Amino acid sequence: MDLRPCIDIHNGKVKQLVGGSVQDQGDVARENYVSQKSAAHYAECFAEKNLKNGHVILLNQKDSPYYEATKQQALAALHAYPGGLQVGGGITAENAEEYLNAGASHVIVTSYVFQNGTISFENLYRLMETVGRQKLVLDLSCRKKDGRYYIVTDRWQKYTQVALSADILTMLASFCDEFLIHGVDVEGKRSGIEEELINLLGRWNQIPITYAGGIRSFEDIDKIRKAGNDRIHITIGSALDLYGGNLSFEETIRYVQSI
């Protein structure tokens, strides 16, 4: 298990938001924390701590008036920590190379692959041709509906028809290097993790998975470690004092490295 950092960028600022609250219309969201520091500052901090494979996420759509400011923040973070961060948000086969050339270790993709409610294998194969499996992370962030976890797209606003299962994970794993999975219903709420989702992922566990959503304590970290047999990595956002929370960033690093 590794602690993998995050840098979420919305309206040109580093923020921590409540999961599923982002609305493209008006570029609004429920904010837990808005930083006065740049994305590059956080990237340098994570580089200093040697925390690798964190994710930088652009949370504005491309036609937003804030998109360019958000993109420049993301690129600055990648330049500040070359090879140490993954990047996602509006990634396609056409623009992925720009981010890789800027220093991203991987590109993270959701909406380009999950279109019209289902999997676009055409776009998956385009990514395989332009990026390659070893530099691709599929974001399978999901929300619970009718007792199942469905993958959501477009800044977690739209449900797909694709429910997470061992078969879906196995099939998609042949296209990518890792999965990033947010438990969207608890993301940003510091209310505890999605244990049912964690158990599903822990039973499968064939390629690296980073889980985010609701982690608020060392007890939550222990639950993930046990369910995933030390193989599920974690991201903590709003709960960290780095982003206005109560959980010490320094102590969390030491704790995860000690278990």
Side-chain angles (χ1 to χ4, degrees):
M1 171 187 277
D2 295 333
L3 176 64
R4 295 187 165 185
C6 62
I7 304 173
D8 295 341
I9 309 170
H10 182 249
N11 295 357
K13 294 183 179 294
V14 176
K15 299 182 181 181
Q16 284 293 309
L17 305 175
V18 175
S21 71
V22 178
Q23 297 181 38
D24 289 339
Q25 179 145 10
D27 291 295
V28 296
R30 288 171 56 199
E31 299 170 341
N32 282 331
Y33 182 79
V34 180
S35 179
Q36 299 306 307
K37 297 175 181 176
S38 69
H41 165 83
Y42 288 100
E44 289 165 358
C45 172
F46 300 145
E48 183 181 311
K49 301 296 184 185
N50 198 33
L51 296 176
K52 299 182 183 296
N53 296 305
H55 51 271
V56 180
I57 304 295
L58 293 77
L59 289 171
N60 291 101
Q61 63 177 342
K62 288 187 178 180
D63 61 358
S64 164
Y66 297 100
Y67 177 76
E68 194 58 35
T70 292
K71 180 180 177 181
Q72 291 309 311
Q73 284 265 23
L75 291 172
L78 299 177
H79 285 303
Y81 191 8
L85 296 167
Q86 306 169 358
V87 65
I91 303 294
T92 68
E94 289 70 38
N95 67 12
E97 191 172 3
E98 177 184 4
Y99 291 100
L100 293 172
N101 289 340
S105 66
H106 297 70
V107 290
I108 304 167
V109 182
T110 310
S111 299
Y112 182 71
V113 167
F114 296 92
Q115 296 198 339
N116 300 316
T118 190
I119 301 168
S120 170
F121 287 98
E122 179 181 356
N123 285 349
L124 254 181
Y125 283 113
R126 282 181 187 161
L127 286 166
M128 291 282 283
E129 291 172 4
T130 57
V131 174
R133 179 178 180 271
Q134 298 304 317
K135 290 187 177 296
L136 179 60
V137 175
L138 289 180
D139 184 338
L140 308 184
S141 295
C142 52
R143 307 184 79 166
K144 198 170 188 180
K145 182 175 69 170
D146 300 327
R148 304 184 72 186
Y149 288 98
Y150 285 86
I151 296 167
V152 288
T153 67
D154 298 276
R155 292 151 297 282
W156 305 335
Q157 296 170 95
K158 296 180 181 178
Y159 281 90
T160 69
Q161 299 165 22
V162 183
L164 278 190
S165 66
D167 288 343
I168 287 292
L169 290 167
T170 298
M171 184 273 292
L172 291 174
S174 65
F175 292 93
C176 66
D177 197 39
E178 299 184 359
F179 293 133
L180 170 63
I181 302 179
H182 289 76
V184 176
D185 290 327
V186 296
E187 172 67 17
K189 296 180 180 178
R190 289 176 276 188
S191 58
I193 60 175
E194 286 273 18
E195 292 191 45
E196 185 179 343
L197 174 59
I198 289 290
N199 289 332
L200 185 160
L201 301 176
R203 287 192 299 270
W204 180 80
N205 224 344
Q206 293 180 24
I207 65 171
I209 295 172
T210 298
Y211 168 84
I215 300 172
R216 61 186 172 178
S217 65
F218 292 169
E219 182 182 359
D220 286 334
I221 295 172
D222 284 339
K223 288 178 181 177
I224 297 168
R225 178 183 62 80
K226 290 173 185 175
N229 297 310
D230 286 322
R231 297 181 63 193
I232 296 178
H233 306 302
I234 58 170
T235 291
I236 307 173
S238 296
L240 288 180
D241 58 4
L242 198 67
Y243 293 125
N246 297 321
L247 206 58
S248 165
F249 177 52
E250 300 282 351
E251 290 179 12
T252 302
I253 293 173
R254 288 194 292 270
Y255 185 77
V256 172
Q257 291 175 343
S258 72
I259 60 177

